[in-house]
Amino acid sequence: DRYKGKFNINRFSKKAQFSAIGMLNNINEQGFSLNEYMNFMGGLQNMMSGGGGRMELTLDSDAMGIPLNFGNANGITSTAAGGANLNYEFSDKTELNASYFYSKIKNEIDRNVFRQNLAEFGAFNSTETTDQISDNQNHRLNLTLKHEIDSFQNIRLRANGGFNDADLSNTGSSETFNSDNILENSGARDYHSVGENWNMTSNLLYRRRFNKKGRVFTASADYGKRDNEQNANLNSVNNFPLKNDTILVNQRQFQTNNESNYGGRISYTEPIGGGKYLGINYSRSNYKNDLVKDFYDILNPATRQEILNENLSNKYKRDYTYDRGGLTFQLNKKKFNFSTGVSIQHSQLEGELQAIVEPIKNDFTNILPSLRWNYDFKSTRNVSFRYQTSVREPSVEQLQPIADNSDPLNIYIGNPDLRPEYTHRFDLNFMDYDQFNFRSIFGNFSVDYTTNDITNKRTIDESFRQTLQPINVDNDLRINGYMGFGTPLRFIKSRIDISGNLFYNRGILFVNDIENTTKRFESGVEVTLDNRKKDVVDVAIGAA
């Protein structure tokens, strides 16, 4: 049986606005719609930004504290979620926004896969069955305090915190056959893990205006911390019939990852007349990871006698710091604004591995141009284009050269020589929302072109065991498109929502050191019809 239920409550007074939202379903919906989010955050007025009163949407669930639903998850997902939001004005100069959100998501996947692999020594086939159940509970608290010191100065403090606990059970089996359809290997695994994670982020922003219109100084500071702990047990049996060999794995795996970051930014803007402005900015950020990975081989399951597996255990520290300075030019008119700029970023990566005597040290310098154009037809209808460049450093897991044998027939091992990714991103957005007749159109088209893209190199040995290792490749291209339209159908007291999406990716994969160019294309259309009067009955029907 399938079920779905939602509620949204709003209460307004002169100084306060309170909202509560909730959902319960087992039809793979893990988030709320855009309209539900807007109501929850206090309506259209609280989503306006900038002196021109233009509406902007932030689709980062971590920043919002509430997930949005843009598609279904794999498997069967059951979700229970709810939250409360409070906007309160202490005075004309001081305003508080606070929200709490809770979600519990259970996902069940029963998967059967048949895969044909092409390698330089010929084709080979593999089959895999997976039975996976995951349970995740998440608590999140968000606070934003705004205070106007005087007519020229204001400050804003944002603080977010969250706690998550997760439980994962994964059992499965696999078989690999060579080109003559002879069994090369087979495996059965039973993996179970429990983990806890807590995190917090904070940002303090100070803004100062001067007597000369458009002259602005801003300064901000950031601090964040995240601690993650995971305990797991792995039992697997791996057979190699042609070699008459069997490998048994019985392990207890313990891992902690403590992260912290801090940063600061200052900027100054000077008007030069005719709605034109010049700006200068500087920022510095630091990210630290301290990872401990201890794997124990269980020698006697009855007595739990165990010994540390030094080949799979490791301690790793990563310190990533970057300094960025830049110049910007901005042009503001009544209907549109345009800005462009360029920054120079110097990054420094330092790492310490327990298994390697020499520390890892790398320096990178990148030039980061940007451009943005926005045209406002009116406050709730605009089109925008944005070009930006960014650098993404490798993660701790990608850097550490220690094997992860969660699936002994598919090993993952990091690469300490990875370079950061450098991405060019082009975004075109269109939005039209009418709060009076509830008609909405949203469109997005984006292109990402990445050099030094981090992808996995696959190595297959003579027993068809596979090892994955991240490497840098050039010329990765991704194209995404989304269009959504919704409007009431008053003659049948219903609402129709139509959305379409497309995805294209051209990338590079390596199999046994042979370069392969891959191309992937996906597209889909979804239509949903539901009744508008929901006092007694709520009915929705759709197809995708």
Side-chain angles (χ1 to χ4, degrees):
D1 293 335
R2 296 285 170 251
Y3 57 85
K4 171 184 175 181
K6 291 184 180 181
F7 74 86
N8 193 330
I9 300 173
N10 295 276
R11 179 178 174 83
F12 299 88
S13 67
K14 186 176 181 179
K15 287 183 171 291
Q17 182 264 326
F18 174 80
S19 301
I21 195 170
M23 67 184 302
L24 185 69
N25 75 79
N26 65 351
I27 58 171
N28 289 13
E29 286 190 6
Q30 297 187 35
F32 295 89
S33 70
L34 187 60
N35 286 333
E36 290 166 335
Y37 165 60
M38 293 175 63
N39 291 331
F40 178 70
M41 296 304 293
L44 185 66
Q45 181 178 359
N46 283 335
M47 300 182 69
M48 306 290 263
S49 66
R54 180 168 51 87
M55 178 179 172
E56 290 185 344
L57 298 178
T58 300
L59 302 182
D60 182 353
S61 60
D62 287 337
M64 297 183 302
I66 176 174
L68 291 179
N69 186 55
F70 286 108
N72 294 328
N74 291 326
I76 300 298
T77 302
S78 302
T79 302
N85 181 76
L86 173 67
N87 298 314
Y88 188 81
E89 293 185 8
F90 293 96
S91 66
D92 292 338
K93 295 185 176 183
T94 306
E95 178 184 344
L96 172 70
N97 170 259
S99 65
Y100 165 77
F101 199 81
Y102 167 81
S103 64
K104 178 178 174 60
I105 299 176
K106 181 178 181 180
N107 179 254
E108 300 180 55
I109 296 176
D110 186 2
R111 177 186 292 129
N112 294 285
V113 177
F114 173 81
R115 181 179 293 113
Q116 186 176 65
N117 305 271
L118 303 177
E120 76 277 10
F121 49 79
F124 64 96
N125 299 326
S126 63
T127 62
E128 181 181 357
T129 63
T130 300
D131 186 5
Q132 177 177 293
I133 300 176
S134 62
D135 279 289
N136 287 273
Q137 291 192 83
N138 184 69
H139 303 262
R140 185 168 182 83
L141 180 65
N142 305 291
L143 296 172
T144 301
L145 180 65
K146 300 177 182 178
H147 177 66
E148 184 180 320
I149 301 173
D150 53 40
S151 59
F152 291 96
Q153 303 178 87
N154 62 73
I155 59 173
R156 184 194 68 196
L157 174 64
R158 283 181 174 174
N160 307 308
F163 175 79
N164 174 269
D165 64 77
D167 188 300
L168 171 67
S169 177
N170 184 304
T171 61
S173 61
S174 63
E175 292 181 327
T176 302
F177 299 86
N178 61 25
S179 57
D180 296 323
N181 204 31
I182 298 175
L183 181 65
E184 286 279 355
N185 65 56
S186 64
R189 69 184 182 278
D190 186 351
Y191 178 80
H192 181 255
S193 69
V194 293
E196 291 184 350
N197 171 287
W198 73 269
N199 64 86
M200 61 85 63
T201 61
S202 59
N203 170 265
L204 179 63
L205 173 67
Y206 168 78
R207 188 171 185 267
R208 163 80 190 211
R209 296 187 298 111
F210 297 87
N211 287 325
K212 186 174 182 179
K213 185 178 180 181
R215 180 180 291 170
V216 179
F217 171 79
T218 62
S220 65
D222 300 274
Y223 178 76
K225 188 170 178 60
R226 179 190 299 267
D227 288 338
N228 182 33
E229 180 179 304
Q230 180 176 293
N231 286 279
N233 286 279
L234 171 64
N235 291 278
S236 70
V237 179
N238 306 282
N239 297 304
F240 304 90
L242 298 183
K243 293 187 175 183
N244 195 26
D245 187 21
T246 299
I247 298 177
L248 303 177
V249 178
N250 191 359
Q251 285 179 347
R252 180 175 70 88
Q253 304 175 350
F254 175 75
Q255 180 172 305
T256 61
N257 186 13
N258 300 322
E259 306 175 23
S260 63
N261 67 82
Y262 66 85
R265 186 178 190 275
I266 57 173
S267 68
Y268 175 77
T269 302
E270 178 70 19
I272 56 176
K276 297 183 288 292
Y277 305 86
L278 288 178
I280 184 171
N281 60 80
Y282 167 76
S283 62
R284 179 180 177 88
S285 295
N286 175 268
Y287 301 89
K288 291 185 177 181
N289 291 87
D290 190 352
L291 183 140
V292 177
K293 192 175 184 180
D294 290 331
F295 282 21
Y296 297 88
D297 292 323
I298 299 175
L299 304 178
N300 188 334
T303 62
R304 302 297 295 178
Q305 182 184 359
E306 57 187 31
I307 185 173
L308 180 68
N309 187 321
E310 296 183 356
N311 293 325
L312 300 177
S313 301
N314 188 31
K315 292 182 180 179
Y316 185 88
K317 292 184 179 180
R318 183 192 71 154
D319 195 322
Y320 180 79
T321 304
Y322 76 77
D323 295 273
R324 178 187 294 182
L327 298 171
T328 60
F329 168 78
Q330 185 172 343
L331 173 64
N332 290 340
K333 294 298 183 180
K334 183 176 181 180
K335 287 287 187 178
F336 77 92
N337 58 68
F338 168 83
S339 65
T340 185
V342 62
S343 298
I344 298 178
Q345 177 175 303
H346 177 74
S347 309
Q348 183 173 332
L349 174 66
E350 296 183 0
E352 295 181 11
L353 278 166
Q354 183 183 44
I356 298 178
V357 177
E358 292 294 327
I360 301 170
K361 289 188 176 182
N362 286 314
D363 290 270
F364 311 98
T365 300
N366 297 101
I367 298 176
L368 303 172
S370 65
L371 183 147
R372 183 168 183 172
W373 173 82
N374 184 90
Y375 186 86
D376 293 324
F377 299 93
K378 58 181 183 178
S379 63
T380 59
R381 181 191 298 166
N382 65 70
V383 61
S384 65
F385 171 79
R386 181 175 61 177
Y387 163 69
Q388 63 180 2
T389 51
S390 61
V391 176
R392 186 178 75 88
E393 70 278 7
S395 67
V396 176
E397 292 77 10
Q398 291 172 328
L399 287 169
Q400 57 173 357
I402 303 297
D404 179 355
N405 71 331
S406 300
D407 182 351
L409 296 178
N410 295 276
I411 304 295
Y412 183 89
I413 183 170
N415 178 6
D417 296 323
L418 288 175
R419 297 175 60 86
E421 295 180 342
Y422 184 87
T423 299
H424 303 262
R425 182 175 180 89
F426 304 83
D427 270 303
L428 180 64
N429 294 277
F430 174 78
M431 182 206 70
D432 184 7
Y433 181 80
D434 192 322
Q435 69 268 36
F436 298 106
N437 62 21
F438 301 102
R439 179 183 56 81
S440 61
I441 302 175
F442 299 95
N444 169 263
F445 181 79
S446 64
V447 177
D448 293 83
Y449 176 76
T450 303
T451 59
N452 285 328
D453 182 59
I454 298 176
T455 188
N456 289 327
K457 178 181 72 173
R458 187 182 304 269
T459 303
I460 305 169
D461 66 14
E462 67 278 1
S463 298
F464 291 84
R465 283 175 295 197
Q466 301 187 44
T467 300
L468 299 178
Q469 184 177 40
I471 61 171
N472 291 114
V473 298
D474 286 333
N475 305 322
D476 183 88
L477 176 67
R478 293 174 182 267
I479 299 174
N480 283 279
Y482 173 83
M483 178 66 72
F485 171 76
T487 186
L489 300 177
R490 292 182 173 84
F491 65 96
I492 56 173
K493 299 180 180 179
S494 301
R495 177 180 176 84
I496 187 170
D497 289 280
I498 305 172
S499 63
N501 62 82
L502 64 88
F503 171 79
Y504 172 79
N505 174 233
R506 187 198 65 207
I508 298 175
L509 294 177
F510 279 84
V511 179
N512 287 357
D513 295 323
I514 297 177
E515 181 177 324
N516 298 271
T517 299
T518 65
K519 296 180 180 180
R520 177 183 172 189
F521 180 79
E522 296 178 5
S523 62
V525 176
E526 182 175 346
V527 181
T528 303
L529 182 69
D530 68 308
N531 62 307
R532 297 185 65 203
K533 295 194 66 175
K534 304 178 184 294
D535 299 336
V536 179
V537 177
D538 184 359
V539 178
I541 185 171

